[in-house]
Amino acid sequence: DARVTQTPRHKVTEMGQEVTMRCQPILGHNTVFWYRQTMMQGLELLAYFRNRAPLDDSGMPKDRFSAEMPDATLATLKIQPSEPRDSAVYFCASGFRAGAYTDTQYFGPGTRLTVL
Amino acid sequence: SQQGEEDPQALSIQEGENATMNCSYKTSINNLQWYRQNSGRGLVHLILIRSNEREKHSGRLRVTLDTSKKSSSLLITASRAADTASYFCATDLQGAQKLVFGQGTRLTINP
């Protein structure tokens, strides 16, 4: 049963520390998305990749957030330095896009980040 | 306001009743998708309806799409306690290469 995996599931850190979240997309998928979910803002798209190339990261605070796909089996989202307002659940999702349409996205279980 | 706005924001019904949630959007779409999120979990895809389709069924789910009104509805028939979750619509905007999610409808099924 193929699924998206994310690590860690929970992370508590202090303000100013670096946080790295990892995602393993479903094998064969060519798009990867990073979302952030909070009660106030709902689900926000931070960045997404297609065939490992970043297509859009306009949703990310550029000064502290960075997203990469070092290879097809790993996507990372890094926050440095972290701030309390970054506390949220971060979801990774993967899918397959072959043309003009965005098909189903498969979500991971999320990383619940708390920045003290 | 956002693309893909759900209505109502919250809905509470008795088990066995039907639940209807609506989604409105602003610009042309390729397709519209509905997702469910149980508390503390990731989103799970329920159903996808393409812009040239008007209605689609999957088990107890029925989705309609009216592109002239830029709206969609999700009907869950014979609701069960396990249907308690948040439901999100997501629009695949033409030219955008991404999904835009609404704020969701929180559905509670009372036993």
Side-chain angles (χ1 to χ4, degrees), chain B residues 51-64:
Chain B
S51 60
N52 60 354
E53 297 175 310
R54 292 297 166 258
E55 188 170 311
K56 209 161 181 181
H57 297 254
S58 177
R60 294 183 296 114
L61 305 181
R62 174 179 164 244
V63 169
T64 61

Side-chain angles (χ1 to χ4, degrees), chain A residues 3-31:
Chain A
R3 58 184 67 188
V4 176
T5 58
Q6 289 186 248
T7 57
R9 294 292 310 278
H10 302 272
K11 176 73 176 178
V12 179
T13 190
E14 294 190 345
M15 182 173 63
Q17 296 298 304
E18 178 179 298
V19 175
T20 298
M21 291 168 270
R22 294 177 174 80
C23 166
Q24 182 172 10
I26 292 173
L27 190 65
H29 283 181
N30 64 353
T31 54

Side-chain angles (χ1 to χ4, degrees), chain B residues 16-29:
Chain B
E17 294 180 340
N18 296 340
T20 299
M21 290 157 273
N22 302 296
C23 172
S24 60
Y25 58 93
K26 297 186 186 304
T27 59
S28 296
I29 61 172

Side-chain angles (χ1 to χ4, degrees), chain B residues 1-109:
Chain B
S1 54
Q2 291 190 39
Q3 178 86 349
E5 294 189 7
E6 287 94 340
D7 169 60
Q9 290 189 339
L11 179 62
S12 181
I13 61 173
Q14 295 299 120
E15 194 168 18
E17 294 180 340
N18 296 340
T20 299
M21 290 157 273
N22 302 296
C23 172
S24 60
Y25 58 93
K26 297 186 186 304
T27 59
S28 296
I29 61 172
N30 296 315
N31 64 61
L32 185 145
Q33 303 178 30
W34 285 90
Y35 288 78
R36 183 187 72 223
Q37 183 180 32
N38 290 90
S39 181
R41 304 287 187 93
L43 279 72
V44 174
H45 179 260
L46 295 176
I47 199 164
L48 180 155
I49 187 165
R50 302 201 184 280
S51 60
N52 60 354
E53 297 175 310
R54 292 297 166 258
E55 188 170 311
K56 209 161 181 181
H57 297 254
S58 177
R60 294 183 296 114
L61 305 181
R62 174 179 164 244
V63 169
T64 61
L65 179 64
D66 187 335
T67 53
S68 66
K69 294 181 179 177
K70 292 186 169 56
S71 67
S72 174
S73 67
L74 170 67
L75 169 67
I76 303 174
T77 60
S79 62
R80 305 167 181 169
D83 295 328
T84 294
S86 291
Y87 292 82
F88 295 85
C89 74
T91 47
D92 176 22
L93 307 179
Q94 288 183 2
Q97 299 191 62
K98 61 185 179 183
L99 293 181
V100 178
F101 285 83
Q103 293 282 38
T105 292
R106 192 169 58 255
L107 175 65
T108 302
I109 308 299

